[in-house]
Amino acid sequence: MPLYQLDHIQHHYNGRPVLAIDHWCLAAGTITGLIGANGSGKSTLLKLLGFVERPSGGEIRFNDRRTAPLDTAARRHIALLPQESHLLKRTVYGNVAYGLRIRKDRGQERERVRQALEWVGLAADAFAQRPWFALSGGEARRVALAARLVLRPQVLLLDEPTTSVDGASAQRMKEAALHAHRQWGTSLV
């Protein structure tokens, strides 16, 4: 049973076609890389897989279930790290814990936030109370990834995940994503 099945997917922006997929399946528990030139539709595909954008046409099945566009039930299993790291105007801890709080999943919140920060190479005692505006671009990117990892998603969609980070931080982010894959069977795209 595929994790995702896409059939006859079409997507347009202002009437201009940007994505066309006749048929594509993605197995659960896999690591899949998307490559292509700028403007080839990679980010658009990730938004469709994350159910944050509605396809112009076609059907997306998730966990063998026909999924409505912008399906909130499916979105609870998926975390999307977009190209831009947009943090909320709060502390690092508040940003990482936000998803747990809106999902009312506060069991072991402090420990889960600490772990997620450690996975991306940010010591919780040094970063948890730091405000969003006191982070470098690379630190903000790692906080954004920690905010997705703390949710323990079934699928982690990463759109140019190491943008704005140095080599060592990029390696930590890669290791954190692979940890999710090994620990929880998270599919990585």
Side-chain angles (χ1 to χ4, degrees):
M1 170 181 74
L3 176 65
Y4 283 100
Q5 181 176 324
L6 284 68
D7 288 301
H8 309 293
I9 294 297
Q10 299 288 321
H11 200 65
H12 304 92
Y13 290 124
N14 298 322
R16 185 178 63 84
V18 295
L19 189 66
I21 300 172
D22 290 331
H23 179 77
W24 186 54
C25 288
L26 183 67
T30 59
I31 300 173
T32 304
L34 302 176
I35 58 171
N38 289 345
S40 64
K42 300 178 302 293
S43 294
T44 298
L45 177 58
L46 290 172
K47 290 175 190 173
L48 295 177
L49 294 175
F51 299 103
V52 296
E53 223 170 270
R54 176 188 318 250
S56 302
E59 177 183 86
I60 300 175
R61 296 179 72 82
F62 180 70
N63 283 329
D64 206 32
R65 182 175 71 80
R66 186 169 187 210
T67 309
L70 310 176
D71 188 304
T72 55
R75 286 168 62 175
R76 291 186 65 81
H77 300 281
I78 302 164
L80 169 64
L81 180 67
Q83 287 183 25
E84 303 277 331
S85 299
H86 298 289
L87 298 180
L88 301 169
K89 294 181 179 180
R90 54 189 70 192
T91 64
V92 166
Y93 183 95
N95 270 282
V96 176
Y98 181 76
L100 295 173
R101 291 176 178 179
I102 62 171
R103 292 177 180 199
K104 296 178 176 42
D105 183 9
R106 302 213 39 200
Q108 299 180 325
E109 178 184 287
R110 284 195 182 284
E111 179 59 20
R112 287 175 68 180
V113 169
R114 186 196 63 72
Q115 279 182 335
L117 287 171
E118 297 288 336
W119 290 330
V120 298
L122 300 173
D125 55 345
F127 282 90
Q129 295 311 310
R130 195 175 291 188
W132 82 98
F133 60 81
L135 299 172
S136 71
E139 290 167 345
R141 192 77 176 142
R142 291 189 284 161
V143 168
L145 178 57
R148 275 72 179 171
L149 292 171
V150 77
L151 300 173
R152 299 178 181 164
Q154 182 180 1
V155 180
L156 181 58
L157 305 169
L158 303 160
D159 195 353
E160 299 189 23
T162 56
T163 299
S164 303
V165 298
D166 60 62
S169 297
Q171 184 62 32
R172 285 302 291 260
M173 292 176 72
K174 176 184 171 186
E175 289 169 5
L178 291 172
H179 173 81
H181 176 71
R182 285 188 304 272
Q183 187 78 20
W184 312 306
T186 299
S187 297
L188 305 175
V189 182

